Amino acid sequence: MHLFDTWLCFGFLSLVNGLREYDKKDLITLREEVRSMFDHAYSSYLTYAYPYDELRSLSCDGFDTWGSFSLTLIDALDTLAVMGNFSEFRRVAEIISARADFEANINVSVFETNIRVVGGLLSAHLLSRKAGINLEPGWPCNGPLLRLAEDMAKRLIAAFDTPTGMPYGTVNLKYGVPEGETSITCTAGIGTFLLEFGTLSRLTGDPLYEEVAMNAIKALHYYKSNIGLVGNHIDVLTGHWTAQDSGIGAGVDSYFEYLAKGTLLFQDPLLATIFHEHKAAIEKYIRREDWHLWVSMTKGQVTLPVFQSLDAYWPGVLSLFGEIGDAMKSLHNYHRVWKQFGFTPEFYNIPQAEAGTNREGYPLRPELIESVMYLYRATGDPYLIQVGIDILRSLQHSAKTTCGYATINDVRDHRKADRMESFFLAETTKYLYLLFDPDNFIHNSGQKGEIIETQWGQCIVDAGGYIFNTEAHPIDPGALYCCHRSQNLFSDQKATLWKFIPVNDMKEKENIEHALYPKDIKDTNDDKPIEIVKLSEMRHTSVNNVENNNNKNLINPLPLINGKVDEVIAIEEESKINTNNPEALSGSLCQEEPESLKVQVAAPPSGIYKADDSENIDTYETYTTSDGHYPTSATKNNTESFIKQNSIKSRFEPQILLENIRKRIYIQQIILQK
């Protein structure tokens, strides 16, 4: 091992000493190559796949994946602005804005729809002025893309109506949470809403969106283990961890990312406190040398010694807090994996230095180039330009097809699969472009901006400091201070801070840290199961107190789990799933993805947007063949919707649900203020 470390040290020094410098002309050449890459992929989507969600880049056709939204068009919109193609931005924004709403009898992922659709619409809305769109009076507090983003958020917010405030993973855009929907959600699917929902609250003046997103984060933090770690999947009805593997990658990643970026976007010290507490636990238990492994959330012992390609976002997050040294060490490890295969596999077995079984693919992920871009902005190190060139060359050599860019089915032989995910245009090409374009407006350091007048006074926009959501949709922080008395939305910080602490833990003289970390959890012996009081108990108690004080019913009490209010959940020390099975930790989604890469999609629409003429949800199921292709034909599976199966189900009205949740939050605040 010492010989290997010595060789690695000398190899690294040789690499650094042999680096060439890249002048502005070199960077422009590389930037324009990335622009051509984007143009080829984007025009291929328009030619062969639109109006479907995504492009099949081997078959040269399209298919729906995440909801029949013409998703790639929404996801790629702000990339057009970043690359300066404002005329195409205006054309596409007009097409998208023509849509009245997102009502459709279709089930969608709450997590994916939020980061791709809500995030994409908000970012495009905030970039509309720079792109030369004729703005409605009151921008940025008004506009068609903002209204669409809020319409979608109202439909997604149905998922948050749970005893813990943590959301379900799926909603129907017309009827709310489907009958029989699983209550198991991954950590990232709970903690990845704050940037989008917080931005929406600041622009619309409605604090509810930010409240529910913050509540979900506080609930996750409350249910952390007694050594400060969070697991991979949790029951949103009870707070019971069903997958207790803890890491920084799939199923968890963007929770940590949003704590860090939320700290910067909203200047919230509470988020910084939570992030740094989690980071301390990560450093103590998950980090081994300069890798981050998977460990038991209750014991800290290693359960899966792998690097996941999704881990590669972590150096970029560290760079936001100035921790450049640790970030560069991890990034060097990840670059070595890329050089070994030409891509990073979904799983990399660290002890055996090989791609993980059944996880050998690379679906054009952006995480490595994302961290490279952040670190280059922080250091200017030419080594990072070389890493970017390596990534660019691999994509051009092995992923390019006649009609786009294709997923790499196996990094060992570079066989392709018939799919180009929308995030290739939203993230991968955008981060590459920004790496090679140091003068891009996104990199504005605050030296210039523009003052605009709104009915609420003056504010400054386009001054830089953009915060990217986890789908690389940039948010202008200056715009959040333009609208609806935004600085007064959350005046009672104490009530907001303590909202998810059980009533019997509250004491008037407790400080913020004590309120965040209740004594019964902090003092728990590591060898004993952790007891967690259900948050439904707090809500039920709050409702009863209000009813008694006011001698009337303000809202209907929340349903109780098993009819009890004093039940506690004991978290088992060992996970019920096989932690040695990488299937349990695959992908960035909360839902499990079978080995056959089964994809269930909505029936293709006949026009730009799917008409909802019947109460049936038509689905198609497609499978990859042995060579990684998706078959062009699919077997149609006509099923009666859950609405037909339950004739008493009423039509979902988002505004009714919003008011219901708002009442519950208001009552909790009243109780906690007393």
Side-chain angles (χ1 to χ4, degrees):
M1 179 61 73
H2 291 296
L3 288 175
F4 175 77
D5 290 341
T6 303
W7 172 85
L8 181 61
C9 180
F10 280 110
F12 171 67
L13 291 175
S14 299
L15 176 65
V16 172
N17 291 334
L19 285 177
R20 58 163 290 190
E21 294 290 335
Y22 296 91
D23 58 24
K24 189 169 184 178
K25 183 178 179 181
D26 295 325
L27 294 180
I28 290 175
T29 300
L30 292 166
R31 182 195 70 190
E32 292 308 304
E33 184 176 351
V34 176
R35 187 197 302 276
S36 296
M37 170 187 285
F38 174 87
D39 288 344
H40 174 61
Y42 177 74
S43 62
S44 294
Y45 166 75
L46 293 180
T47 301
Y48 302 110
Y50 178 79
Y52 298 112
D53 279 339
E54 291 181 341
L55 169 70
R56 291 196 288 202
S57 46
L58 298 180
S59 304
C60 296
D61 61 8
F63 71 137
D64 282 325
T65 52
W66 295 112
S68 190
F69 304 128
S70 298
L71 180 62
T72 297
L73 203 64
I74 296 175
D75 233 0
L77 183 53
D78 56 24
T79 307
L80 291 168
V82 168
M83 294 186 179
N85 192 346
F86 295 136
S87 60
E88 179 66 4
F89 180 98
R90 292 191 294 269
R91 186 186 76 85
V92 173
E94 184 177 358
I95 293 173
I96 294 173
S97 299
R99 181 169 192 159
D101 56 47
F102 285 104
E103 181 172 298
N105 183 17
I106 188 169
N107 296 343
V108 301
S109 163
V110 180
F111 169 80
E112 294 289 350
T113 306
N114 174 61
I115 65 172
R116 301 192 194 210
V117 178
V118 178
L121 291 171
L122 287 173
S123 178
H125 165 72
L126 293 176
L127 291 173
S128 295
R129 182 176 180 274
K130 177 170 285 292
I133 286 181
N134 292 326
L135 303 174
E136 291 185 2
W139 183 93
C141 318
N142 193 26
L145 296 176
L146 177 61
R147 287 191 291 274
L148 279 176
E150 185 173 20
D151 177 80
M152 180 60 83
K154 286 180 179 179
R155 299 176 190 281
L156 299 182
I157 213 168
F160 290 82
D161 197 15
T162 66
T164 65
M166 296 185 290
Y168 286 98
T170 302
V171 295
N172 183 283
L173 294 181
K174 188 173 183 179
Y175 298 103
V177 178
E179 294 289 336
E181 170 64 15
T182 177
S183 59
I184 308 302
T185 306
C186 71
T187 300
I190 294 167
T192 310
F193 293 90
L194 184 59
L195 297 189
E196 298 83 6
F197 278 29
T199 296
L200 198 56
S201 282
R202 305 301 172 107
L203 295 178
T204 64
D206 187 344
L208 178 65
Y209 305 108
E210 187 166 340
E211 288 279 5
V212 296
M214 282 294 292
N215 285 347
I217 285 176
K218 292 170 191 173
L220 271 178
H221 184 250
Y222 177 74
Y223 284 123
K224 70 186 184 301
S225 75
N226 53 350
I227 61 174
L229 297 176
V230 292
N232 200 269
H233 286 75
I234 193 170
D235 190 322
V236 301
L237 298 181
T238 66
H240 174 61
W241 291 100
T242 60
Q244 297 182 14
D245 300 276
S246 187
I248 64 168
V252 183
D253 47 3
S254 49
Y255 166 55
F256 298 136
E257 179 186 357
Y258 272 40
L259 289 174
K261 292 181 176 179
T263 297
L264 301 176
L265 183 60
F266 303 116
Q267 297 294 294
D268 190 336
L270 170 60
L271 294 172
T273 299
I274 297 175
F275 173 78
H276 284 293
E277 185 198 342
H278 281 310
K279 182 178 175 296
I282 289 169
E283 290 293 309
K284 184 175 182 179
Y285 297 105
I286 294 176
R287 181 181 176 183
R288 306 298 169 99
E289 296 182 351
D290 296 315
W291 298 99
H292 293 82
L293 312 183
W294 287 88
V295 304
S296 164
M297 68 175 287
T298 59
K299 296 290 188 179
Q301 77 271 20
V302 175
T303 60
L304 200 61
V306 300
F307 155 68
Q308 296 180 340
S309 61
L310 286 168
D311 293 354
Y313 79 98
W314 186 248
V317 169
L318 292 180
S319 74
L320 297 176
F321 289 89
E323 300 184 22
I324 305 301
D326 287 344
M328 287 294 288
K329 290 176 183 177
S330 292
L331 189 133
H332 278 293
N333 281 345
Y334 305 159
H335 185 215
R336 282 168 46 208
V337 176
W338 186 281
K339 295 286 284 185
Q340 180 179 348
F341 297 104
F343 299 100
T344 48
E346 291 288 73
F347 277 43
Y348 179 77
N349 187 312
I350 297 171
Q352 299 178 14
E354 63 183 21
T357 304
N358 297 323
R359 287 294 178 267
E360 304 93 346
Y362 170 72
L364 307 177
R365 290 202 185 278
E367 283 75 18
L368 180 57
I369 189 60
E370 174 186 2
S371 286
V372 170
M373 189 276 290
Y374 277 120
L375 283 167
Y376 183 70
R377 296 301 305 168
T379 67
D381 189 338
Y383 161 73
L384 296 164
I385 295 295
Q386 185 58 56
V387 177
I389 292 174
D390 289 342
I391 294 172
L392 178 60
R393 293 288 167 260
S394 293
L395 291 170
Q396 295 285 55
H397 179 269
S398 298
K400 189 174 184 178
T401 71
T402 56
C403 54
Y405 288 80
T407 290
I408 301 301
N409 198 57
D410 192 325
V411 299
R412 296 169 299 184
D413 56 21
H414 290 197
R415 285 184 294 116
K416 298 181 181 70
D418 196 9
R419 185 178 185 182
M420 186 182 79
E421 290 247 22
S422 69
F423 58 64
F424 180 69
L425 294 178
E427 301 184 74
T428 309
T429 53
K430 183 183 294 162
Y431 285 130
L432 270 172
Y433 188 89
L434 289 172
L435 172 66
F436 301 135
D437 188 20
D439 298 325
N440 195 279
F441 72 88
I442 290 290
H443 298 317
N444 183 3
S445 60
Q447 296 177 345
K448 58 182 179 180
E450 295 198 35
I451 299 175
I452 63 172
E453 295 280 351
T454 73
Q455 66 185 91
W456 294 277
Q458 290 185 336
C459 61
I460 300 175
V461 297
D462 299 337
Y466 291 89
I467 301 296
F468 291 94
N469 85 336
T470 197
E471 191 77 3
H473 296 306
I475 302 297
D476 182 354
L480 305 192
Y481 295 90
C482 294
C483 306
H484 297 278
R485 306 163 298 281
S486 59
Q487 296 185 21
N488 297 322
L489 287 180
F490 305 96
S491 57
D492 191 347
Q493 293 299 316
K494 177 179 177 181
T496 302
L497 176 66
W498 285 358
K499 187 169 302 166
F500 265 112
I501 304 303
V503 173
N504 58 8
D505 284 327
M506 302 300 298
K507 295 181 176 61
E508 285 298 324
K509 295 183 179 180
E510 285 180 329
N511 59 26
I512 289 177
E513 181 179 0
H514 199 179
L516 273 173
Y517 319 125
K519 187 175 187 297
D520 60 338
I521 289 183
K522 289 175 70 69
D523 295 344
T524 301
N525 189 303
D526 286 358
D527 295 328
K528 297 180 181 179
I530 307 162
E531 292 188 340
I532 297 178
V533 180
K534 287 184 178 178
L535 299 184
S536 57
E537 177 181 350
M538 181 196 73
R539 290 190 172 196
H540 186 70
T541 303
S542 299
V543 171
N544 286 340
N545 287 343
V546 171
E547 290 175 348
N548 293 335
N549 291 338
N550 295 282
N551 197 26
K552 63 180 180 179
N553 291 328
L554 294 183
I555 63 171
N556 294 326
L558 286 171
L560 303 179
I561 309 300
N562 298 326
K564 301 178 182 179
V565 296
D566 57 350
E567 181 180 355
V568 295
I569 298 297
I571 292 184
E572 300 174 3
E573 293 182 357
E574 299 299 330
S575 173
K576 290 185 178 180
I577 67 169
N578 181 2
T579 56
N580 293 320
N581 180 8
E583 299 290 334
L585 300 172
S586 63
S588 63
L589 311 179
C590 298
Q591 292 81 8
E592 196 59 37
E593 187 176 67
E595 290 185 14
S596 60
L597 295 180
K598 176 180 175 181
V599 180
Q600 183 162 317
V601 299
S606 57
I608 294 181
Y609 300 109
K610 179 181 178 182
D612 185 31
D613 296 327
S614 71
E615 295 288 70
N616 290 335
I617 303 177
D618 296 335
T619 61
Y620 285 74
E621 294 182 351
T622 62
Y623 298 82
T624 54
T625 58
S626 59
D627 60 356
H629 288 67
Y630 288 91
T632 55
S633 62
T635 302
K636 187 175 181 180
N637 175 25
N638 289 319
T639 59
E640 291 293 322
S641 73
F642 65 88
I643 306 304
K644 285 288 186 69
Q645 295 170 9
N646 183 4
S647 59
I648 65 173
K649 180 84 171 181
S650 61
R651 182 176 178 277
F652 166 56
E653 292 289 351
Q655 196 60 44
I656 294 175
L657 181 72
L658 287 175
E659 293 302 323
N660 186 33
I661 297 176
R662 184 178 284 109
K663 286 179 181 178
R664 296 181 183 187
I665 291 175
Y666 175 71
I667 289 171
Q668 291 172 35
Q669 289 177 330
I670 292 176
I671 294 299
L672 294 176
Q673 288 172 1
K674 292 184 177 181

